[in-house]
Amino acid sequence: MTERLVLSPHGNLYLRTLQAEDVTRADQENLLSKLTAAFVVSSAEGLFELAKLRDVNQLPPEFGFWKQWALQLLQSLCQLDQHQRSEFASAVSPSGIDQWLPPPDELELTVLVSMAPPMIGLDYLSPKVLRTLWQGLAMLVQQRAANHPGGLVDLLKEVDPRWQLLGRVTFHLAENRKETEKPFAFLATYSHQISAKSGVKHLPLAEALRQYAGQQDQTKLAELLTPVRLAAEQSSLIKNWLETRALFQAQALGIDQAYEFLRVVPVLEQCGLAVRVPDWWRARHASRPTVQIHLGNKIPNQMGADALLDFSIGMVLDGQSLTEQEQRDLLAAEDGLMLLRGKWVEVNHSRLQQALDHWQQLKQEHVEGFDFLRGMRMLAGTSLDGADDELSAASEWSQIAAGEWLSELLATVRDPSGEVNCRPGNNLNATLRPYQVQGVRWLWFMTQLRLGACLADDMGLGKTIQLIDLILQRRCKPLGEGQKQKLAPSLLVVPASLIGNWKQEFARFAPQLRVLLVHRSELDSQSLQHLERSPEQALNGIDAVVTSYTMLRSSEWMSKIDWDLLVLDEAQAIKNATSVQTRAVKKLKAECRVVLTGTPVENQLGDLWSLFDFCSPGLLGTAKQFKDYLKRIGKQSDAHGYAALRKLVQPYILRRMKTDPKIAPDLPEKTEVRVECGLSKRQAALYQGLVKELASQLKSISQANQEGNIRRRGIVLSTMMQLKQVCNHPSQMNRSDQFLPGDSGKFQQLAEICTAISEQQDKVLVFTQFQSLCQPLSDYLASLFGRVGLVLHGATPVGKRKELVRQFQDNEAIPYFVISLKAGGTGLNLTAASHVIHFDRWWNPAVENQATDRAFRIGQKKNVLVHKFVCRGTLEERIDDMLKSKQGLSDVILKPSQEGEQLLTEMGDQELLKFVALDVKSCEVS
């Protein structure tokens, strides 16, 4: 088991327990239990407890990120002087608290968001969320300090003993430009008292020696000087000043001494000292000359990963190019500080020269430029291979920027609305929504560049229709005079359960495309053998081929074709880079590659490499290089690594969420989709056995006999019920307690959908007509979500219903609600859910619609996605088809359920057996 710190869609933090191979260290278990209890109370309570946690290195990286966030607030509080602390403690409103402990500014918050490690809920992290969490923690600290016997000082001491004195002793460094030889002044002070007029009064530290000279004050003096002694242990400069007692008087400092002092400022603050230095040093990243490289000024001769990017070398300060004379002066200057263009700048001659030499050497070695993928890694600041190790050593004195052409290209990737060679929806039998138009343009542009693309839109946003329109755009793009269009077909590899969905979508949106479905449920063995022997001949005139991951493994001929577009749907199927399935996929050859997934791929760094090794081979280096890189950035001190990795992959990923304010208005309020499920071998065998037994029983009944008719009706109804139970899970029919997921196609499909729902932290209602299935479904869902949900059925006491509804609506940590159709089809308000799953189908669609309306009703602020499970090739599929296509029969079945069942009992034997017969080819899970 492992604990994950999760950010909810509403910006709250909580702990979730997940199954994992690694086991949490025993000495962390007690602390984690405290954390869990604290986060149950509030995000602020949890953050305060997390700040006290000493060692987070054994925990997932998000613990370190949130610990540092909490510590930043507490350290900011410690930097306040006595007067400011007093004002903070007496503030009576959030605005009053913000006055003394304001959150970081928008720019700093934005940078922090970009540096966040992978975590569940990363999509929801924003400057606004960080600001809200800061304010909540500030209010909690103020309230706790008011109730603490020792007040704020002792409260902070519980987090870190050094903080009891932080801010009492202050080191000041100021400019004194009138003195050319020693242009800086230093003074150490301590907080003496609070004046009504001037606030805190600072006195030279030497006064403390006289004030506390009495024997009775030696303890107080020792406490006051404790952070000074700690600083002396860490800095030779402070040690020398303390030993020579120069620390206790004002000093004029030369450039070298001032620079040495400035370099140890972070150490001094960690030791418990307040430090005041000139503003230009706090922003030292903007006051340092660097070697600047521009990549991609010119259009390369060819596009794709093999494109070569030219580069130029220069030297800049604060983004402004330096003259040749200024560059010579910098390279001739001594290490330390230098006055340049009216401001002090940091200079390190050896590091600056090293960076310059490094790039000039690379210029000679790469006369034609860098390959595109390496250029993108350099631009993002990621060092994955040995070729960039030298650059890492000089990275602080180098900066890489996109040149004119590359800047325009990356801008178009971010916003391809101006791409004129693509007209989304032009030949599509549907009207695309604005965000879908944008998605097609982006896919078009990325595939034209041959760079690979990952469309990671939320479930229900229409990835399928965007991809179909992309194929249309590629097949119907305008050609020059005299040109003949002859493109290889596109290949789509999808889960077997989605073959039928893709078939329907192609027929609905692009009937002009010639689509070949390569699967045992769609092609006979003779046609499959023909494909194996003569694939090019069999594919002549075909626009798109759709197959399953399982079929791909056994179809060697697919790896011999040069496909135009290669698409992986539910691409998380190849997250395991060493699996047979993944290796088979990566043998395929194609002009362009696209992966479709509804899960945020950036949040699962362990799976990221395999996906990108398929769609953009080489971008993330080799598997070993990427693994080593993750180890490096996993260290708490290397937080910038996550920002660099995210910057590297973001151009290749398009992710939109249903909650995006720009997306939500374009969505329908309710979307219903049929989810086709296969049958396991055990299900198929049981189903066929029931049908065979039904045929035998029907044959033995005398239909002329009235008693026989009654018996026949009972047999038919009983068999119908058993068939539906088999479609759910064999254990339901057999009344077994062992509901193994592998024995049911529906359970496997439930896992696929709920994994995506869990990643998005949406809530789901699961309806079944069988009370006996409610608890097995809940047990399985608990394993998928890592948390226990709620169950409601006919045996639930009436008085408990209201409490269950309240829990589901108010508690973000409750992910699902399993409800029996009759018990919960009406009278419940469950608008916290944005997904509804009908696990088995009711005879009467009106009853299903009533159940759906538990979520889709007044008060629902999200778009609702309804998943209706249907087992292919079974009774369920034919009932669903009948409801949709045969309106006359539909009118009958729309009546009460007993009449729908009666319709089947009145069918003739042959008609009935044909209706319930199993289509073996269609029902296969894989």
Side-chain angles (χ1 to χ4, degrees):
M1 307 288 285
T2 187
E3 303 289 335
R4 295 301 304 269
L5 195 50
V6 178
L7 180 65
S8 79
H10 294 90
N12 296 317
L13 289 167
Y14 63 91
L15 279 177
R16 182 194 297 184
T17 302
L18 299 178
Q19 296 285 348
E21 294 178 2
D22 57 318
V23 180
T24 303
R25 285 174 44 183
D27 58 351
Q28 292 282 3
E29 290 181 358
N30 186 39
L31 290 171
L32 286 173
S33 65
K34 290 182 179 179
L35 274 181
T36 302
F39 276 113
V40 167
V41 176
S42 70
S43 297
E45 290 279 357
L47 285 170
F48 189 79
E49 285 297 321
L50 185 59
K52 296 191 290 186
L53 197 62
R54 290 290 172 262
D55 181 16
V56 296
N57 291 331
Q58 301 299 319
L59 298 172
E62 70 268 14
F63 282 82
F65 174 82
W66 289 114
K67 174 182 168 68
Q68 287 304 310
W69 176 240
L71 288 177
Q72 183 174 343
L73 180 144
L74 295 172
Q75 288 170 341
S76 297
L77 183 59
C78 292
Q79 293 288 349
L80 300 180
D81 57 38
Q82 292 177 1
H83 172 66
Q84 292 168 333
R85 292 178 191 174
S86 176
E87 291 294 320
F88 168 79
S90 61
V92 295
S93 67
S95 60
I97 293 175
D98 279 355
Q99 179 182 355
W100 300 107
L101 198 65
D105 60 34
E106 190 74 12
L107 177 60
E108 185 177 349
L109 293 175
T110 301
V111 171
L112 283 170
V113 169
S114 72
M115 293 168 56
M119 68 179 76
I120 301 173
L122 182 61
D123 282 329
Y124 307 114
L125 185 62
S126 67
K128 180 180 178 181
V129 167
L130 287 177
R131 194 179 302 110
T132 301
L133 290 172
W134 176 285
Q135 293 166 339
L137 180 56
M139 292 180 65
L140 173 75
V141 171
Q142 188 212 39
Q143 293 165 4
R144 283 200 172 191
N147 298 321
H148 198 286
L152 184 59
V153 172
D154 282 359
L155 178 66
L156 294 176
K157 185 178 178 181
E158 291 179 3
V159 180
D160 192 322
R162 297 174 300 180
W163 288 354
Q164 61 176 326
L165 300 172
L166 194 58
R168 295 284 299 281
V169 174
T170 304
F171 286 179
H172 305 262
L173 183 74
E175 290 185 73
N176 183 19
R177 293 193 182 183
K178 293 180 180 180
E179 299 290 336
T180 55
E181 292 187 6
K182 294 188 175 182
F184 294 92
F186 169 83
L187 180 66
T189 68
Y190 77 105
S191 304
H192 173 56
Q193 63 184 22
I194 300 175
S195 167
K197 293 183 179 180
S198 59
V200 178
K201 185 177 181 180
H202 287 268
L203 293 178
L205 193 56
E207 288 294 323
L209 301 180
R210 288 188 285 270
Q211 184 176 348
Y212 301 134
Q215 184 65 34
Q216 67 275 14
D217 291 328
Q218 288 301 302
T219 301
K220 192 170 184 179
L221 180 62
E223 290 181 353
L224 184 68
L225 295 180
T226 295
V228 178
R229 294 193 182 97
L230 290 173
E233 294 175 3
Q234 301 293 322
S235 166
S236 59
L237 177 67
I238 305 302
K239 180 180 180 182
N240 177 263
W241 286 354
L242 184 61
E243 291 176 347
T244 61
R245 301 182 71 81
L247 184 71
F248 299 98
Q249 58 190 5
Q251 302 180 64
L253 302 182
I255 295 175
D256 291 346
Q257 277 188 307
Y259 181 56
E260 186 176 356
F261 176 82
L262 290 169
R263 291 182 63 187
V264 297
V265 166
V267 174
L268 300 180
E269 291 176 331
Q270 290 175 5
C271 290
L273 293 162
V275 185
R276 304 288 183 261
V277 298
D279 290 340
W280 51 260
W281 180 257
R282 288 295 184 187
R284 58 184 177 271
H285 63 277
S287 300
R288 170 183 288 180
T290 56
V291 176
Q292 185 176 67
I293 297 87
H294 276 99
L295 283 172
N297 286 303
K298 303 174 184 177
I299 302 176
N301 294 328
Q302 64 174 3
M303 299 306 299
D306 298 328
L308 294 176
L309 301 176
D310 69 293
F311 68 98
S312 58
I313 306 173
M315 197 174 291
V316 298
L317 175 67
D318 296 342
Q320 299 296 316
S321 297
L322 296 176
T323 65
E324 292 185 5
Q325 182 60 48
E326 288 171 330
Q327 293 182 41
R328 286 193 292 270
D329 291 344
L330 279 168
L331 293 174
E334 296 182 0
D335 292 352
L337 299 175
M338 172 182 175
L339 201 58
L340 180 65
R341 294 187 176 182
K343 66 169 68 174
W344 290 102
V345 298
E346 184 183 7
V347 178
N348 186 315
H349 173 270
S350 60
R351 298 294 293 276
L352 196 59
Q353 187 66 59
Q354 179 186 5
L356 193 59
D357 292 344
H358 173 79
W359 286 106
Q360 289 174 342
Q361 177 67 29
L362 288 178
K363 184 78 172 177
Q364 297 176 7
E365 295 175 359
H366 300 269
V367 178
E368 296 182 357
F370 289 115
D371 69 78
F372 187 87
L373 295 182
R374 184 179 178 189
M376 292 295 285
R377 290 198 296 271
M378 291 161 56
L379 194 61
T382 54
S383 176
L384 295 174
D385 53 33
D388 292 333
D389 285 345
E390 285 184 59
L391 176 60
S392 299
S395 60
E396 292 184 3
W397 296 90
S398 299
Q399 56 178 275
I400 305 172
E404 183 178 354
W405 171 81
L406 186 57
S407 293
E408 292 179 0
L409 181 139
L410 293 176
T412 306
V413 168
R414 288 189 291 269
D415 181 14
S417 56
E419 180 58 43
V420 295
N421 294 325
C422 176
R423 296 182 176 86
N426 196 38
N427 297 293
L428 192 72
N429 191 20
T431 300
L432 294 172
R433 296 188 171 86
Y435 71 88
Q436 293 172 334
V437 169
Q438 190 79 347
V440 174
R441 289 188 187 278
W442 181 79
L443 287 169
W444 166 267
F445 188 66
M446 294 297 286
T447 53
Q448 289 296 104
L449 295 175
R450 296 190 296 115
L451 293 180
C454 174
L455 183 60
D457 284 347
D458 261 359
M459 187 189 313
L461 292 188
K463 293 187 291 292
T464 301
I465 193 172
Q466 293 176 69
L467 197 284
I468 290 174
D469 194 44
L470 173 65
I471 295 176
L472 277 172
Q473 297 294 323
R474 293 183 65 83
R475 309 304 289 189
C476 304
K477 64 182 179 181
L479 300 170
E481 185 176 353
Q483 288 183 294
K484 292 184 178 180
Q485 182 173 354
K486 186 173 178 61
L487 286 177
S490 296
L491 175 64
L492 288 79
V493 186
V494 310
S497 59
L498 298 182
I499 291 280
N501 295 75
W502 278 96
K503 178 182 179 181
Q504 293 177 22
E505 301 291 78
F506 268 114
R508 178 183 176 188
F509 299 125
Q512 66 271 46
L513 290 178
R514 292 153 296 181
V515 180
L516 179 64
L517 302 168
V518 181
H519 192 262
R520 286 184 290 270
S521 63
E522 300 291 341
L523 285 181
D524 55 37
S525 58
Q526 186 176 353
S527 299
L528 290 172
Q529 291 172 6
H530 178 55
L531 269 170
E532 188 72 44
R533 291 193 304 268
S534 308
E536 293 185 359
Q537 180 183 355
L539 297 178
N540 186 33
I542 296 296
D543 294 309
V545 173
V546 182
T547 192
S548 71
Y549 288 96
T550 305
M551 282 295 298
L552 174 64
R553 294 204 303 262
S554 60
S555 304
E556 289 290 334
W557 63 269
M558 292 186 190
S559 62
K560 301 174 184 177
I561 302 295
D562 290 321
W563 304 97
D564 173 48
L565 186 65
L566 177 55
V567 182
L568 302 186
D569 190 15
E570 301 296 342
Q572 58 270 24
I574 65 163
K575 63 183 181 181
N576 182 353
T578 61
S579 70
V580 175
Q581 183 165 281
T582 301
R583 291 200 298 268
V585 166
K586 292 182 180 179
K587 288 181 182 179
L588 299 170
K589 298 174 290 184
E591 177 76 9
C592 311
R593 300 180 176 211
V594 175
V595 296
L596 307 178
T597 178
T599 60
V601 295
E602 293 175 78
N603 295 0
Q604 304 292 338
L605 295 187
D607 306 335
L608 191 65
W609 182 84
S610 188
L611 290 179
F612 271 82
D613 188 51
F614 166 78
C615 69
S616 298
L619 181 68
L620 298 183
T622 65
K624 184 180 185 306
Q625 288 171 345
F626 188 65
K627 184 177 181 180
D628 292 342
Y629 179 74
L630 291 185
K631 287 182 180 178
R632 292 200 300 273
I633 68 175
K635 299 177 181 177
Q636 190 172 335
S637 60
D638 196 12
H640 290 276
Y642 293 113
L645 180 58
R646 192 168 294 119
K647 184 178 179 182
L648 176 62
V649 301
Q650 273 181 342
Y652 301 84
I653 301 172
L654 181 62
R655 175 157 176 78
R656 279 82 59 87
M657 301 175 65
K658 296 191 293 288
T659 53
D660 189 326
K662 297 179 181 178
I663 303 296
D666 293 329
L667 295 175
E669 295 178 335
K670 179 173 67 173
T671 302
E672 296 187 355
V673 294
R674 175 168 125 172
V675 180
E676 296 192 350
C677 309
L679 295 182
S680 67
K681 291 182 179 179
R682 185 182 173 200
Q683 282 177 298
L686 286 172
Y687 191 101
Q688 285 182 303
L690 288 170
V691 173
K692 185 176 180 181
E693 183 180 351
L694 174 63
S696 175
Q697 289 178 312
L698 291 176
K699 189 175 181 180
S700 66
I701 295 175
S702 171
Q703 298 196 15
N705 188 308
Q706 182 64 30
E707 182 180 350
N709 286 335
I710 295 174
R711 182 185 170 206
R712 180 181 186 275
R713 184 175 294 114
I715 291 173
V716 171
L717 293 177
S718 175
T719 303
M720 295 304 107
M721 185 63 69
Q722 289 178 309
L723 290 174
K724 293 174 75 173
Q725 290 175 335
V726 168
C727 288
N728 286 343
H729 198 291
S731 295
Q732 185 185 0
M733 191 197 77
N734 295 333
R735 291 180 171 79
S736 169
D737 294 332
Q738 298 295 322
F739 281 77
L740 300 177
D743 285 346
S744 168
K746 282 189 179 181
F747 269 60
Q748 295 176 49
Q749 191 65 50
L750 187 66
E752 290 189 23
I753 291 176
C754 288
T755 298
I757 293 175
S758 177
E759 288 282 352
Q760 296 166 11
Q761 295 185 75
D762 287 339
K763 292 195 172 197
V764 60
L765 306 179
V766 180
F767 286 102
T768 174
Q769 62 179 288
F770 299 100
Q771 178 176 323
S772 62
L773 190 60
C774 288
Q775 194 57 50
L777 280 174
S778 179
D779 294 340
Y780 184 50
L781 289 168
S783 70
L784 298 175
F785 284 94
R787 291 164 289 160
V788 177
L790 303 174
V791 177
L792 172 65
H793 49 62
T796 305
V798 175
K800 191 178 179 182
R801 288 167 59 100
K802 184 179 292 186
E803 173 60 19
L804 291 176
V805 170
R806 187 198 63 77
Q807 290 180 38
F808 187 75
Q809 292 290 94
D810 297 343
N811 191 338
E812 284 188 291
I814 295 177
Y816 66 84
F817 203 158
V818 179
I819 306 172
S820 67
L821 204 57
K822 286 185 177 180
T826 58
L828 301 178
N829 187 346
L830 300 170
T831 53
S834 58
H835 290 265
V836 176
I837 294 176
H838 291 288
F839 193 77
D840 40 53
R841 306 302 302 278
W842 192 250
W843 295 104
N844 188 347
V847 176
E848 286 186 348
N849 292 337
Q850 285 179 337
T852 298
D853 288 345
R854 298 315 93 217
F856 181 65
R857 60 189 304 156
I858 295 174
Q860 177 58 266
K861 298 179 181 179
K862 297 181 181 180
N863 305 96
V864 177
L865 187 58
V866 184
H867 313 262
K868 296 185 176 182
F869 281 18
V870 172
C871 283
R872 295 189 307 270
T874 70
L875 167 74
E876 288 190 332
E877 182 179 48
R878 295 182 191 104
I879 292 175
D880 187 72
D881 289 341
M882 189 168 60
L883 289 172
K884 290 189 298 185
S885 61
K886 297 184 178 180
Q887 188 60 45
L889 289 176
S890 184
D891 289 340
V892 176
I893 297 183
L894 281 171
K895 295 178 182 179
S897 59
Q898 289 82 0
E899 296 189 26
E901 294 171 349
Q902 184 179 355
L903 177 66
L904 294 181
T905 64
E906 292 176 356
M907 286 182 178
D909 288 358
Q910 295 305 314
E911 184 183 8
L912 176 62
L913 291 173
K914 183 178 179 181
F915 192 84
V916 301
L918 181 66
D919 183 343
V920 178
K921 289 200 305 180
S922 297
C923 76
E924 294 178 349
V925 170
S926 59

